[in-house]
Amino acid sequence: EVQLVESGGGLIQPGGSLRLSCAASGFTFNNYWMHWVRQAPGKGLVWVSRLHPDGMNIGYADSVKGRFTISRDNAKNTLFLQMNSLTAEDTAVYYCAREDLPGGLSNWGQGALVTVSS
Amino acid sequence: QSALTQPPSASGSLGQSVTISCTATSSDLGGYNYVSWYQQHPGKAPKLMIYEVTKRPSGVPDRFSGSKSGNTASLTVSGLQAEDEADYYCSSNADSNTFVFGTGTKVTVL
């Protein structure tokens, strides 16, 4: 069974940093693109970032480019999102997801809540 | 990366059909076939319903169908059931190795 489990969320002050992790199991992690998607409370889904299995081919949403860094450890089956210079607008549930089908995110984690507030 | 535009709400009676549109700027949807649709119930993670414009993942009922014409993609839910009441989001790959989601549509089953 495919499982994605996010961790590392919490309350952080504006300007602070946080690192999210996504532990993957039930599939060959280093064969798949992985994504981060976020959802502010009561709002819609927003794509954040995407990372190729090789760890080199990366895409970011304009809203996080230069502040967020996606990475992965294929040996530990884990995806990361390093978030710096956080603002209130970054408050959201952050989901990691596996791109199993062309352009389609078939598997999602339960989400990690990040709250940026003083 | 502008969000894809969806109507905020749509509704249909039990057993009837509802169609949701997803409209993009010319640079988003026109040249790509990686349009997907997601269903999200309150408090739950999204679920993939359609990928590559028209394809259904294993386990998704054939009541769900997708199409695309020019810069507009559509999701049709036929034979509406109570459990279809949810938020629906389209998405597409865009330029520079990025993706974009739609603004979301709340579907109500009357």
Side-chain angles (χ1 to χ4, degrees):
Chain A
E1 179 193 4
V2 171
Q3 282 200 320
L4 299 171
V5 179
E6 301 94 339
S7 60
L11 176 63
I12 186 75
Q13 291 190 337
S17 298
L18 209 58
R19 189 195 200 201
L20 300 181
S21 300
C22 171
S25 61
F27 65 99
T28 305
F29 182 70
N30 59 8
N31 282 353
Y32 295 93
W33 286 87
M34 296 296 295
H35 295 240
W36 287 101
V37 176
R38 69 184 182 184
Q39 187 170 33
K43 302 298 184 181
L45 300 174
V46 175
W47 180 82
V48 173
S49 185
R50 175 194 194 209
L51 180 59
H52 188 273
D54 65 9
M56 303 295 289
N57 201 346
I58 297 173
Y60 292 105
D62 288 344
S63 58
V64 307
K65 198 176 297 182
R67 299 188 301 123
F68 289 13
T69 302
I70 190 173
S71 61
R72 63 195 295 162
D73 184 337
N74 287 337
K76 296 183 178 179
N77 294 341
T78 304
L79 179 72
F80 302 101
L81 186 68
Q82 176 67 43
M83 304 183 293
N84 299 330
S85 304
L86 287 162
T87 73
E89 286 66 44
D90 296 315
T91 294
V93 172
Y94 285 75
Y95 295 100
C96 69
R98 177 177 75 139
E99 186 179 339
D100 174 53
L101 298 168
L105 308 182
S106 300
N107 305 103
W108 297 65
Q110 83 288 352
L113 176 61
V114 172
T115 303
V116 184
S117 175
S118 56
Chain B
Q1 297 158 350
S2 301
L4 306 174
T5 301
Q6 299 179 231
S9 62
S11 62
S13 301
L14 274 171
Q16 297 301 305
S17 297
V18 65
T19 297
I20 304 165
S21 63
C22 170
T23 303
T25 61
S26 60
S27 63
D28 283 340
L29 278 186
Y32 298 94
N33 284 321
Y34 289 170
V35 177
S36 299
W37 288 90
Y38 299 86
Q39 176 191 68
Q40 187 181 34
H41 288 108
K44 301 294 187 181
K47 176 185 177 182
L48 179 66
M49 306 303 284
I50 296 288
Y51 70 101
E52 283 189 284
V53 182
T54 62
K55 299 178 181 179
R56 279 178 288 105
S58 174
V60 173
D62 60 7
R63 303 185 292 104
F64 292 85
S65 62
S67 63
K68 183 169 78 80
S69 177
N71 293 327
T72 298
S74 298
L75 173 72
T76 297
V77 185
S78 305
L80 274 169
Q81 299 184 3
E83 60 264 34
D84 298 333
E85 186 160 296
D87 294 325
Y88 291 83
Y89 297 89
C90 61
S91 80
S92 174
N93 60 318
D95 56 1
S96 302
N97 198 19
T98 63
F99 274 63
V100 62
F101 278 96
T103 50
T105 298
K106 181 177 180 61
V107 169
T108 301
V109 180
L110 304 173

